[in-house]
């Protein structure tokens, strides 16, 4: 499976697992909150009933457990035989009720606990009932502790369940992606031969038409040849994409590819086309070989596609510079043109599949640059695009010269800046003088 598809499957599995875990966690939190709220409400109601009974029917001599009852006749306070806790009774509350005859209910946090106090007028006296809620607070703490343990166990079970559900839920997606990739590879492979046969026969018929046919027949045959050529390009792109994704990770390493020779042959193949379009094409490479591990046909596709893309978007009188250099265990290829360019905001979007930029015409199908990224990524390299409208575009490809992975940060920023100045039309001397240079106009 392709690395991008593996990342999609992995992200989907993680999201499903998180969703299951969050759902179960939310349910546990909701159940615990409801239980805790119900306990507090029940305790508060029970405490108020105790206080109300104490002020209306209780006596100083025999208050309920955890309670105290005080009686105030306007001058003195009778606390009974049971010693009150420090700070009680509340004298201000007794005086206020004695004056207004209005019941007061309050709570006091003191002595490491919470006291609920009810002060109420009864006959000629004022009665104050105090309830110590330390046991109720202890029950709440025990409930929270039990809930925390249950929540921890529940979240662990939720995570395990999420992982299991995620794997089972994503398995069909992974299988579907694999089957899709296999179908594309099989279909592309089977279509190659008949498309090539149709293209060859169309060329033979067109050759005969040039001698015996009419101009109308010849135009139609040329259109047929162009259509079959474009159809073959699509099939080749799809097959290459499928082969890149299906390549086994443990296959024997390929022999190193000499980028210097590969670039020279690719540029020579495009020289005639560049001359027809009146585009200046220059090549600057090191004198010696620049070997990189990889697949020669795939890397040739990278150079050829970037060069063809530059020719497509460069008008007559323009210039294309192809430069190769090595630095920090990395071979860096830069292809810069003076064509129509593109908005820098689209620098990532142009690598999307089926994205067709301005001026692409019928020839392009939006697969080329997307496949280039797949090829470069499969070689543990990077590809970057930089452009400005009507001021040209620059594509930079970094490939490791060893089998170690490279990242965009493996090339120093200063070296990148010096190297990219070539694309801005400035002459910059590389570390080694160029020994291979060809110019076509």
């Amino acid at each position: 499976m392709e690395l991008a598809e593996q990342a999609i499957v992995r992200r989907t599995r993680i999201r499903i697992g998180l969703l299951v875990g969050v759902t179960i966690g939310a349910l546990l939190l909701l159940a615990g909150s409801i239980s805790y709220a119900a306990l507090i409400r029940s305790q508060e109601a029970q405490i108020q009933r105790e206080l109300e009974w104490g002020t209306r029917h209780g006596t100083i001599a025999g208050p309920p457990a955890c309670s105290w009852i005080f009686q105030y006749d306007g001058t003195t306070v009778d606390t009974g035989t049971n010693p009150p806790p420090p700070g009680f009774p509340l004298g201000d509350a007794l005086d206020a009720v004695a004056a207004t005859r209005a019941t007061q209910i309050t709570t006091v946090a003191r002595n490491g606990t919470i006291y609920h106090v009810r002060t109420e007028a009864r006959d000629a006296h004022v009665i104050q009932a105090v309830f110590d809620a330390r046991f109720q607070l202890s029950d709440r703490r025990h409930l929270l502790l039990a809930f925390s343990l249950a929540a921890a166990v529940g979240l662990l079970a939720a995570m395990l369940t999420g992982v299991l559900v995620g794997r089972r839920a994503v398995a069909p997606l992974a299988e579907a992606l694999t089957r899709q990739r296999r179908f594309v590879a099989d279909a592309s492979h089977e279509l190659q031969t008949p498309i090539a046969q149709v293209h060859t026969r169309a060329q033979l018929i067109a050759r005969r038409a040039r001698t015996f046919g009419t101009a109308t027949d010849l135009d139609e045959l040329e259109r047929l040849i162009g259509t079959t050529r474009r159809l073959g390009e699509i099939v080749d792109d799809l097959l290459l994409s499928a082969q890149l994704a299906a390549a086994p990770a443990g296959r024997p390493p390929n022999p190193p590819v000499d980028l210097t020779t590969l670039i020279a042959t690719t540029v020579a193949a495009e020289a005639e086309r560049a001359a027809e379009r009146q585009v200046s094409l220059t090549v600057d490479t090191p004198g010696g070989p620049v070997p990189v591990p990889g697949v020669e046909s795939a890397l040739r596709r990278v150079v050829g596609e970037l060069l063809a893309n530059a020719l497509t978007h460069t008008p007559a009188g323009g210039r294309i510079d192809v430069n190769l250099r090595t630095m920090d265990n990395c071979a860096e290829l830069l292809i810069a043109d003076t064509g129509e360019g593109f908005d820098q905001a689209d620098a990532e979007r142009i690598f999307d599949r089926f994205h067709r930029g301005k001026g692409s015409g019928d020839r392009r199908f939006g697969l080329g640059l997307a496949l280039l990224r797949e090829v470069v990524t499969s070689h543990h390299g990077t590809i970057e695009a930089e452009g400005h409208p009507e001021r040209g575009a620059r594509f930079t490809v970094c490939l490791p010269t060893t089998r170690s992975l490279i990242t965009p940060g493996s090339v120093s920023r200063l070296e990148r800046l010096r190297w990219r100045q070539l694309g801005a039309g400035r002459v910059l001397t590389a570390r080694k003088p160029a020994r291979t240079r060809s110019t076509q106009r």
Side-chain angles (χ1 to χ4, degrees):
M1 187 183 298
E2 187 183 357
L3 293 178
E5 294 176 353
Q6 290 179 354
I8 293 174
V9 172
R10 190 181 305 110
R11 286 197 301 267
T12 304
R13 185 185 300 121
I14 293 174
R15 288 175 181 174
I16 293 176
L18 289 177
L19 180 61
V20 173
V22 169
T23 302
I24 296 179
L27 292 176
L28 289 173
L29 180 61
L30 179 61
S33 301
I34 293 175
S35 301
Y36 189 72
L39 175 64
I40 292 178
R41 184 172 182 178
S42 175
Q43 289 180 344
E44 293 289 342
Q46 180 64 29
I47 291 172
Q48 294 305 320
R49 285 195 296 269
E50 294 283 347
L51 291 174
E52 185 176 358
W53 186 90
T55 56
R56 295 182 181 180
H57 307 288
T59 62
I60 300 175
C66 300
S67 298
W68 294 266
I69 297 178
F70 312 118
Q71 181 175 297
Y72 179 57
D73 59 4
T75 57
T76 60
V77 179
D78 188 357
T79 60
T81 59
N82 189 14
F88 290 96
L90 300 179
D92 295 340
L94 291 173
D95 293 334
V97 173
T100 62
R101 311 296 289 182
T103 302
Q104 285 191 5
I105 300 174
T106 185
T107 58
V108 178
R110 188 177 294 171
N111 305 325
T113 183
I114 294 179
Y115 297 96
H116 294 260
V117 183
R118 180 185 178 96
T119 308
E120 183 178 345
R122 189 173 70 183
D123 298 332
H125 301 86
V126 175
I127 305 299
Q128 187 175 90
V130 179
F131 184 88
D132 186 356
R134 66 178 66 244
F135 293 108
Q136 285 73 12
L137 296 177
S138 178
D139 290 341
R140 296 176 190 179
R141 288 192 294 268
H142 291 161
L143 178 62
L144 287 177
L145 179 59
F147 172 72
S148 300
L149 293 176
V153 175
L155 288 178
L156 179 60
M159 293 175 59
L160 296 178
T161 303
V163 172
L164 180 60
V165 172
R167 288 183 178 276
R168 291 183 177 273
V170 175
L173 173 61
E175 184 179 358
L177 291 174
T178 302
R179 289 187 177 184
Q180 178 189 19
R181 182 69 62 177
R182 187 182 301 119
F183 168 77
V184 172
D186 294 343
S188 302
H189 186 271
E190 294 298 326
L191 287 173
Q192 274 188 321
T193 300
I195 290 175
Q197 292 175 348
V198 172
H199 185 67
T200 302
R201 291 174 182 174
Q203 288 179 317
L204 292 175
I205 296 174
R207 187 177 303 171
R208 296 173 184 172
R210 292 188 184 96
T211 304
F212 304 104
T214 63
T216 302
D217 294 337
L218 185 58
D219 291 341
E220 294 295 332
L221 287 173
E222 292 295 342
R223 293 191 184 95
L224 176 61
I225 293 173
T227 301
T228 56
R229 182 185 300 111
R230 291 194 296 271
L231 184 59
E233 291 176 355
I234 296 175
V235 172
D236 291 341
D237 288 345
L238 293 175
L239 182 59
L240 177 60
S241 177
Q243 289 173 343
L244 287 174
R251 66 182 179 182
N254 294 289
V257 179
D258 182 11
L259 284 184
T260 302
T261 303
L262 187 147
I263 292 173
T265 56
T266 305
V267 171
E270 294 286 356
E272 183 178 354
R273 182 183 170 203
E276 291 177 357
R277 297 179 63 89
Q278 299 179 356
V279 174
S280 174
L281 180 59
T282 64
V283 182
D284 191 355
T285 60
V290 180
V292 296
V295 181
E296 182 177 358
S297 59
L299 294 178
R300 188 182 303 276
R301 183 65 176 273
V302 172
V303 180
E305 183 67 26
L306 289 177
L307 192 56
N309 182 73
L311 285 171
T312 301
H313 296 281
T314 303
R319 177 180 175 179
I320 299 176
D321 294 322
V322 181
N323 301 277
L324 175 66
R325 68 177 299 177
T326 59
M327 60 181 78
D328 299 334
N329 296 324
C330 167
E332 187 173 75
L333 168 66
L334 174 68
I335 297 182
D337 63 69
T338 59
E340 59 192 32
F342 57 87
D343 191 343
Q344 185 60 28
D346 296 331
E348 288 296 324
R349 189 163 171 249
I350 61 175
F351 291 102
D352 294 341
R353 287 176 178 265
F354 305 108
H355 173 74
R356 297 174 63 180
K358 177 182 176 182
S360 58
D362 294 334
R363 180 181 177 275
R364 314 310 302 163
F365 295 90
L367 287 172
L369 292 179
L371 290 175
L372 292 195
R373 171 164 284 184
E374 290 186 19
V375 172
V376 174
T377 302
S378 67
H379 285 75
H380 308 301
T382 60
I383 181 170
E384 299 175 359
E386 182 181 352
H388 302 280
E390 308 303 331
R391 292 170 52 191
R394 293 190 294 273
F395 288 86
T396 305
V397 178
C398 287
L399 296 170
T401 54
T402 62
R403 299 196 178 275
S404 60
L405 300 180
I406 69 169
T407 62
S410 63
V411 181
S412 67
R413 184 177 302 176
L414 178 61
E415 292 292 342
R416 281 185 181 273
L417 179 61
R418 293 178 59 201
W419 181 236
R420 287 179 179 175
Q421 285 175 345
L422 286 170
R426 298 176 56 183
V427 178
L428 183 67
T429 304
R431 293 179 179 176
K432 295 182 179 181
R435 297 185 177 85
T436 303
R437 179 180 296 271
S438 62
T439 302
Q440 296 290 338
R441 293 186 180 273

